[in-house]
Coordinates of all heavy atoms in Angstrom, one line a residue:
M1 N 43.8 -14.5 -1.5 CA 43.4 -13.4 -2.4 C 44.6 -12.4 -2.4 O 44.6 -11.5 -1.5 CB 42.2 -12.7 -2.0 CG 41.6 -11.8 -3.1 SD 40.2 -10.8 -2.5 CE 39.0 -11.9 -2.3
P2 N 45.5 -12.5 -3.3 CA 46.6 -11.5 -3.4 C 46.0 -10.1 -3.7 O 45.1 -10.0 -4.4 CB 47.5 -12.0 -4.5 CG 46.6 -12.9 -5.3 CD 45.6 -13.4 -4.4
R3 N 46.7 -9.1 -3.2 CA 46.2 -7.8 -3.4 C 47.3 -6.8 -3.6 O 48.2 -6.7 -2.6 CB 45.3 -7.4 -2.3 CG 44.6 -6.1 -2.5 CD 43.7 -5.9 -1.3 NE 42.8 -4.6 -1.5 CZ 41.9 -4.2 -0.6 NH1 41.7 -4.8 0.5 NH2 41.2 -3.1 -0.8
M4 N 47.3 -6.0 -4.6 CA 48.3 -5.0 -4.7 C 48.1 -3.9 -3.7 O 46.9 -3.5 -3.6 CB 48.3 -4.4 -6.1 CG 48.4 -5.4 -7.2 SD 50.1 -5.6 -7.8 CE 50.4 -4.0 -8.4
R5 N 49.1 -3.5 -3.0 CA 48.8 -2.4 -2.1 C 49.8 -1.3 -2.4 O 50.8 -1.2 -1.7 CB 48.8 -2.8 -0.7 CG 50.2 -3.5 -0.3 CD 50.2 -3.7 1.2 NE 51.5 -4.1 1.7 CZ 51.9 -4.1 3.0 NH1 51.0 -3.7 3.9 NH2 53.1 -4.4 3.3
R6 N 49.5 -0.6 -3.3 CA 50.3 0.6 -3.6 C 49.4 1.9 -3.4 O 49.7 2.7 -2.7 CB 50.8 0.6 -5.0 CG 52.0 -0.2 -5.2 CD 52.7 0.0 -6.6 NE 54.0 -0.7 -6.7 CZ 54.7 -0.7 -7.8 NH1 54.2 0.0 -8.9 NH2 55.9 -1.2 -7.8
K7 N 48.3 1.9 -4.1 CA 47.5 3.1 -4.0 C 46.7 3.1 -2.8 O 46.3 4.1 -2.2 CB 46.5 3.1 -5.3 CG 47.3 3.4 -6.6 CD 46.4 3.4 -7.7 CE 47.1 3.7 -9.0 NZ 46.3 3.7 -10.2
S8 N 46.3 1.9 -2.3 CA 45.5 1.8 -1.1 C 46.3 2.1 0.1 O 45.7 2.1 1.2 CB 44.9 0.3 -1.1 OG 46.0 -0.6 -1.0
D9 N 47.5 2.4 0.1 CA 48.2 2.8 1.3 C 48.1 4.2 1.6 O 48.5 4.7 2.6 CB 49.8 2.5 1.0 CG 50.2 1.0 1.4 OD1 49.3 0.3 1.9 OD2 51.2 0.6 1.1
L10 N 47.5 4.9 0.7 CA 47.3 6.3 1.0 C 46.3 6.6 2.1 O 45.3 5.9 2.3 CB 46.7 7.0 -0.2 CG 47.7 7.1 -1.5 CD1 46.9 7.6 -2.7 CD2 48.9 7.9 -1.2
P11 N 46.6 7.5 3.0 CA 45.6 7.8 4.1 C 44.4 8.4 3.6 O 44.3 9.0 2.5 CB 46.5 8.8 5.0 CG 47.4 9.5 4.1 CD 47.7 8.4 3.0
S12 N 43.4 8.4 4.5 CA 42.1 9.1 4.0 C 41.5 9.7 5.2 O 41.8 9.4 6.4 CB 41.2 8.0 3.5 OG 40.9 7.0 4.4
K13 N 40.6 10.6 4.9 CA 39.9 11.3 6.0 C 38.4 11.5 5.6 O 38.0 11.2 4.4 CB 40.4 12.7 6.2 CG 41.8 12.8 6.9 CD 42.2 14.1 7.1 CE 43.6 14.2 7.9 NZ 43.9 15.5 8.2
T14 N 37.6 11.9 6.5 CA 36.2 12.2 6.2 C 36.0 13.7 6.1 O 36.4 14.5 7.0 CB 35.3 11.6 7.3 OG1 35.5 10.3 7.3 CG2 33.8 11.8 6.9
C15 N 35.4 14.2 5.1 CA 35.2 15.6 4.9 C 34.2 16.2 6.0 O 33.2 15.6 6.3 CB 34.6 15.9 3.5 SG 34.2 17.6 3.3
A16 N 34.6 17.2 6.6 CA 33.9 17.8 7.7 C 32.7 18.6 7.2 O 31.8 19.0 8.0 CB 34.8 18.8 8.5
A17 N 32.6 18.8 5.9 CA 31.5 19.6 5.3 C 30.4 18.7 4.8 O 29.3 18.7 5.1 CB 32.0 20.5 4.3
C18 N 30.8 17.7 3.8 CA 29.9 16.9 3.2 C 29.8 15.5 3.7 O 28.9 14.7 3.5 CB 30.2 16.8 1.6 SG 31.7 16.0 1.3
G19 N 30.8 15.1 4.6 CA 30.8 13.9 5.3 C 31.3 12.7 4.4 O 31.3 11.6 4.9
L20 N 31.7 13.0 3.3 CA 32.2 11.9 2.4 C 33.7 11.6 2.6 O 34.4 12.6 3.0 CB 32.0 12.2 1.0 CG 30.6 12.4 0.5 CD1 30.5 12.9 -1.0 CD2 29.8 11.1 0.7
P21 N 34.1 10.4 2.5 CA 35.5 10.1 2.7 C 36.3 10.5 1.5 O 35.8 10.5 0.3 CB 35.5 8.6 2.8 CG 34.3 8.2 2.0 CD 33.3 9.2 2.2
F22 N 37.5 11.0 1.8 CA 38.4 11.4 0.6 C 39.8 11.0 1.0 O 40.1 10.7 2.0 CB 38.3 12.9 0.4 CG 38.8 13.7 1.6 CD1 40.0 14.2 1.7 CD2 37.8 14.1 2.5 CE1 40.5 15.0 2.8 CE2 38.2 14.9 3.7 CZ 39.5 15.3 3.8
T23 N 40.6 10.8 -0.1 CA 41.9 10.2 0.0 C 43.0 11.2 -0.2 O 42.8 12.2 -0.9 CB 42.0 9.1 -1.1 OG1 40.9 8.2 -0.9 CG2 43.3 8.3 -0.8
W24 N 44.1 11.0 0.4 CA 45.2 11.9 0.3 C 45.5 12.2 -1.1 O 45.5 11.3 -2.0 CB 46.4 11.1 0.9 CG 47.7 11.9 0.9 CD1 48.1 12.6 2.0 CD2 48.7 12.0 -0.1 NE1 49.3 13.2 1.7 CE2 49.8 12.9 0.4 CE3 48.9 11.5 -1.4 CZ2 50.9 13.2 -0.3 CZ3 50.0 11.8 -2.1 CH2 51.0 12.7 -1.6
R25 N 45.8 13.5 -1.3 CA 46.2 13.9 -2.7 C 47.5 14.6 -2.7 O 47.9 15.2 -1.6 CB 45.2 14.9 -3.2 CG 43.9 14.2 -3.4 CD 42.8 15.3 -4.0 NE 41.5 14.7 -3.9 CZ 40.4 15.4 -4.2 NH1 40.6 16.6 -4.7 NH2 39.2 15.0 -4.1
K26 N 48.2 14.6 -3.8 CA 49.5 15.1 -3.9 C 49.6 16.6 -3.4 O 50.5 17.0 -2.7 CB 49.9 15.0 -5.4 CG 51.3 15.6 -5.6 CD 52.4 14.7 -5.0 CE 53.8 15.2 -5.3 NZ 54.9 14.5 -4.8
K27 N 48.5 17.3 -3.7 CA 48.6 18.7 -3.4 C 48.4 19.0 -1.9 O 48.6 20.2 -1.4 CB 47.4 19.4 -4.2 CG 46.0 19.1 -3.7 CD 45.0 19.9 -4.4 CE 43.6 19.7 -3.8 NZ 42.5 20.5 -4.5
W28 N 48.1 18.0 -1.2 CA 47.9 18.1 0.3 C 49.2 17.6 1.0 O 49.2 17.5 2.3 CB 46.7 17.4 0.8 CG 45.4 18.0 0.3 CD1 45.2 19.4 0.1 CD2 44.2 17.3 0.1 NE1 44.0 19.5 -0.3 CE2 43.2 18.3 -0.4 CE3 43.8 16.0 0.2 CZ2 41.9 18.0 -0.7 CZ3 42.5 15.7 -0.1 CH2 41.6 16.7 -0.5
E29 N 50.2 17.2 0.3 CA 51.2 16.5 0.9 C 52.0 17.3 2.0 O 52.4 16.7 3.1 CB 52.3 16.0 -0.1 CG 53.0 17.2 -0.8 CD 54.0 16.6 -1.8 OE1 54.4 15.5 -1.6 OE2 54.4 17.4 -2.7
R30 N 52.0 18.6 1.9 CA 52.5 19.4 3.0 C 51.6 19.7 4.1 O 52.0 20.1 5.2 CB 53.0 20.8 2.4 CG 54.2 20.6 1.4 CD 54.4 22.0 0.9 NE 55.5 21.9 -0.2 CZ 55.9 23.0 -0.8 NH1 55.4 24.2 -0.5 NH2 56.9 23.0 -1.7
D31 N 50.3 19.6 3.8 CA 49.3 20.2 4.7 C 48.2 19.2 5.1 O 47.2 19.5 5.6 CB 48.6 21.3 4.0 CG 48.1 22.4 5.0 OD1 48.7 22.5 6.1 OD2 47.2 23.2 4.7
W32 N 48.6 17.9 5.0 CA 47.7 16.8 5.3 C 47.0 16.9 6.6 O 45.8 16.7 6.8 CB 48.3 15.5 5.0 CG 47.3 14.4 5.2 CD1 47.5 13.4 6.1 CD2 46.1 14.1 4.6 NE1 46.4 12.5 6.1 CE2 45.5 12.9 5.1 CE3 45.5 14.7 3.5 CZ2 44.4 12.4 4.7 CZ3 44.2 14.2 3.1 CH2 43.7 13.0 3.7
D33 N 47.8 17.3 7.6 CA 47.3 17.3 9.0 C 46.2 18.4 9.2 O 45.3 18.3 10.0 CB 48.4 17.6 10.0 CG 49.2 16.4 10.2 OD1 48.8 15.3 9.8 OD2 50.3 16.6 10.8
N34 N 46.2 19.4 8.3 CA 45.3 20.5 8.4 C 44.1 20.3 7.5 O 43.1 21.1 7.6 CB 45.9 21.8 8.1 CG 47.0 22.1 9.2 OD1 46.8 21.9 10.3 ND2 48.1 22.7 8.8
V35 N 44.1 19.3 6.7 CA 43.0 19.2 5.7 C 41.8 18.6 6.4 O 41.9 17.6 7.0 CB 43.5 18.3 4.5 CG1 42.4 18.0 3.6 CG2 44.7 18.8 3.7
R36 N 40.7 19.2 6.2 CA 39.5 18.8 6.8 C 38.5 18.6 5.7 O 37.4 17.9 6.0 CB 39.0 19.8 7.8 CG 39.7 19.9 9.1 CD 39.0 20.9 10.0 NE 39.7 21.0 11.2 CZ 39.2 21.7 12.3 NH1 38.1 22.4 12.1 NH2 39.9 21.9 13.4
Y37 N 38.6 19.1 4.6 CA 37.5 19.1 3.6 C 38.0 18.5 2.3 O 39.3 18.6 1.9 CB 37.0 20.5 3.4 CG 36.7 21.2 4.6 CD1 37.4 22.3 5.1 CD2 35.6 20.8 5.4 CE1 37.1 22.9 6.2 CE2 35.2 21.4 6.5 CZ 36.0 22.4 7.0 OH 35.7 23.1 8.2
C38 N 37.1 17.9 1.5 CA 37.5 17.2 0.4 C 37.8 18.1 -0.8 O 38.5 17.7 -1.7 CB 36.4 16.2 0.0 SG 34.9 17.0 -0.5
S39 N 37.3 19.3 -0.7 CA 37.5 20.2 -1.8 C 37.5 21.7 -1.2 O 37.1 22.0 -0.2 CB 36.5 20.0 -2.9 OG 35.2 20.3 -2.3
D40 N 38.0 22.6 -2.1 CA 37.8 24.0 -1.8 C 36.4 24.4 -1.5 O 36.1 25.3 -0.7 CB 38.5 24.9 -2.8 CG 40.0 24.8 -2.8 OD1 40.5 24.3 -1.8 OD2 40.6 25.0 -3.8
R41 N 35.6 23.8 -2.3 CA 34.1 24.2 -2.2 C 33.6 23.9 -0.7 O 32.9 24.6 -0.2 CB 33.3 23.4 -3.3 CG 31.8 23.8 -3.2 CD 31.0 22.9 -4.1 NE 31.5 23.0 -5.5 CZ 31.0 22.2 -6.5 NH1 30.1 21.3 -6.3 NH2 31.5 22.3 -7.7
C42 N 33.9 22.7 -0.3 CA 33.5 22.3 1.0 C 34.2 23.2 2.1 O 33.5 23.6 3.0 CB 33.9 20.9 1.2 SG 32.7 19.7 0.5
R43 N 35.4 23.5 1.9 CA 36.0 24.4 2.9 C 35.4 25.7 2.9 O 35.2 26.2 4.0 CB 37.6 24.5 2.5 CG 38.2 25.4 3.5 CD 39.8 25.3 3.3 NE 40.1 25.5 1.9 CZ 41.4 25.4 1.4 NH1 42.3 25.3 2.2 NH2 41.6 25.6 0.2
R44 N 35.0 26.2 1.8 CA 34.3 27.5 1.8 C 33.0 27.4 2.4 O 32.4 28.3 3.0 CB 34.3 28.1 0.4 CG 35.6 28.5 -0.1 CD 35.6 28.9 -1.5 NE 36.9 29.2 -2.1 CZ 37.2 29.4 -3.3 NH1 36.2 29.3 -4.2 NH2 38.4 29.6 -3.7
A45 N 32.3 26.3 2.1 CA 31.0 26.1 2.7 C 30.9 26.2 4.1 O 30.0 26.6 4.8 CB 30.4 24.8 2.1
K46 N 32.0 25.6 4.7 CA 32.0 25.5 6.2 C 33.1 26.6 6.8 O 33.0 26.8 8.0 CB 32.5 24.1 6.7 CG 31.4 23.1 6.7 CD 31.0 22.8 8.2 CE 29.8 21.9 8.3 NZ 29.6 21.5 9.7
G47 N 33.9 27.1 6.0 CA 34.9 28.0 6.5 C 34.3 29.3 7.0 O 34.9 30.0 7.8
G48 N 33.2 29.7 6.5 CA 32.6 31.0 6.9 C 33.0 32.1 6.0 O 34.1 32.1 5.4
A49 N 32.2 33.0 5.8 CA 32.3 34.1 4.8 C 33.4 35.1 5.4 O 33.4 35.4 6.6 CB 31.1 34.9 4.5
G50 N 34.3 35.5 4.5 CA 35.2 36.6 5.0 C 36.5 36.0 5.5 O 37.5 36.6 5.4
A51 N 36.5 34.8 6.0 CA 37.7 34.2 6.5 C 38.6 33.8 5.3 O 38.1 33.0 4.4 CB 37.4 33.0 7.4
V52 N 39.8 34.2 5.4 CA 40.7 33.8 4.3 C 41.8 32.9 4.8 O 42.6 33.3 5.6 CB 41.4 35.0 3.5 CG1 42.3 34.6 2.5 CG2 40.3 35.9 3.0
Ligands
ZN101 ZN1 33.4 17.7 1.1

């Protein structure tokens, strides 16, 4: 079963807020090690109020 592996080479993580898996995105290329959440919404949900 031949399989193209271009897009599937991207790393992925599990969101610490909603628990869903998410895949590397271009906007995270500099900060991937620090990314914990799939979206800004999840980061705010777990990040705590007032923390910037
Ligand atoms: Zn999430």
Side-chain angles (χ1 to χ4, degrees):
M1 193 192 289
R3 189 175 182 180
M4 303 266 300
R5 56 167 190 170
R6 279 189 172 180
K7 293 181 181 178
S8 57
D9 276 349
L10 295 175
S12 63
K13 289 186 178 184
T14 301
C15 178
C18 68
L20 296 176
F22 60 94
T23 308
W24 185 93
R25 293 182 195 174
K26 179 69 174 179
K27 69 175 183 177
W28 293 328
E29 65 180 341
R30 294 181 183 177
D31 207 28
W32 178 242
D33 285 343
N34 296 320
V35 174
R36 289 185 180 183
Y37 308 108
C38 66
S39 64
D40 287 342
R41 182 186 302 176
C42 282
R43 180 168 48 178
R44 289 175 187 172
K46 274 253 176 173
V52 179

